[in-house]
Amino acid sequence: MPERYRLVMNVGPNPGKVFELTMDSMSIGREASNDIVVQDAELSRNHARISRRGGGYVLEDLGSTNGTFINRQRLTAPRNLAPGDEVGLGENVLLTFQGEGAAATVAASGRQAATRQPAPPQPPYAPPPQPQYAPPPPAKAGKSNRGLIIGCLVVAGLCILALIGAVIFDSMNLYCVSPFNMLFGLITTCG
C-alpha cells in the first residue's frame, strides 16, 4: 500500500477541505504562491512549511506573526508530525495530519506507545501587562518652594548690589574719570 499523507481542515475558512501532501516540501500561507493556500487574515503570507523527511513529515514555522502549533504547543523549531496530530495556524485555523501506509501506521503506533498521557493544553498567549502611568508623588510642602525662594533672594540681592554700585559711581562722578569718561563721554559732559 503506498504511503499517503494529507492535512484536513477542521476549523478555518474551508472546514473539511483536504490538502494532499504530494511533494517533498510544501509551503503554507495566505499568499497565492504557496502550495497550500489558506485565506485567513491571521496567517502570514508565508506562514509554515511541511517537508518529507525519513518516511514522515516535519512541520516548521517560517517566522509567522501568530504562530504555528502542533497539538496546541507553539513551534520554536521544526518538529516531526505523527498521524492524528493537530496543526494550528494562528488562532483561527486547525488541521489534522493524516497518513496511510506502513510508515504512517508505525509512526502512529510508536506515538501512542510513547505518549501515555496527553500533554496539558498550553494556555493561550497573553502579552505581558503594560505598565500603567502613575503621576509623580506630590511634592512635600515647602521643599519645592525653598529653591524658588532662594533664587528670588539671589536675584534681589544682585539688583541691590547693582543699585548701590550705580549710586556710588554717580556720586563720585566716576563717569568723568579715565577710562570711564571715554565710555560715558558721548552721553554726558563733565563740568
Side-chain angles (χ1 to χ4, degrees):
M1 170 190 262
E3 296 174 14
R4 292 179 41 192
Y5 293 93
R6 66 185 151 274
L7 290 172
V8 179
M9 186 177 294
N10 299 328
V11 178
N14 304 95
K17 184 167 185 170
V18 176
F19 301 98
E20 294 291 340
L21 303 179
T22 58
M23 296 186 280
D24 287 339
S25 180
M26 298 177 75
S27 59
I28 304 170
R30 72 170 193 268
E31 193 169 82
S33 63
N34 286 289
D35 301 304
I36 298 174
V37 178
V38 179
Q39 292 297 326
D40 184 272
E42 287 217 356
L43 264 69
S44 296
R45 288 187 298 252
N46 297 305
H47 196 93
R49 179 180 6 230
I50 187 165
S51 306
R52 181 181 287 273
R53 286 195 200 148
Y57 276 89
V58 172
L59 181 67
E60 66 180 303
D61 185 79
L62 297 178
S64 66
T65 302
N66 294 314
T68 303
F69 304 83
I70 295 179
N71 299 326
R72 297 189 178 141
Q73 293 183 347
R74 190 172 188 145
L75 290 182
T76 56
R79 196 163 131 200
N80 291 325
L81 284 168
D85 280 346
E86 289 184 334
V87 175
L89 305 172
E91 292 182 15
N92 298 331
V93 178
L94 185 63
L95 305 126
T96 300
F97 178 72
Q98 296 179 350
E100 296 174 1
T105 305
V106 169
S109 64
R111 182 175 176 268
Q112 290 171 352
T115 308
R116 293 201 171 112
Q117 295 179 350
Q122 292 283 55
Y125 172 76
Q130 296 294 322
Q132 298 295 320
Y133 170 75
K140 295 180 181 173
K143 187 173 184 179
S144 64
N145 292 338
R146 186 178 352 163
L148 181 63
I149 292 170
I150 291 173
C152 289
L153 289 175
V154 168
V155 170
L158 290 174
C159 289
I160 291 171
L161 285 175
L163 183 61
I164 291 172
V167 169
I168 292 173
F169 192 82
D170 186 51
S171 67
M172 297 177 71
N173 286 332
L174 291 177
Y175 50 86
C176 291
V177 178
S178 182
F180 300 115
N181 61 351
M182 291 170 50
L183 294 172
F184 297 107
L186 300 175
I187 300 173
T188 59
T189 57
C190 297

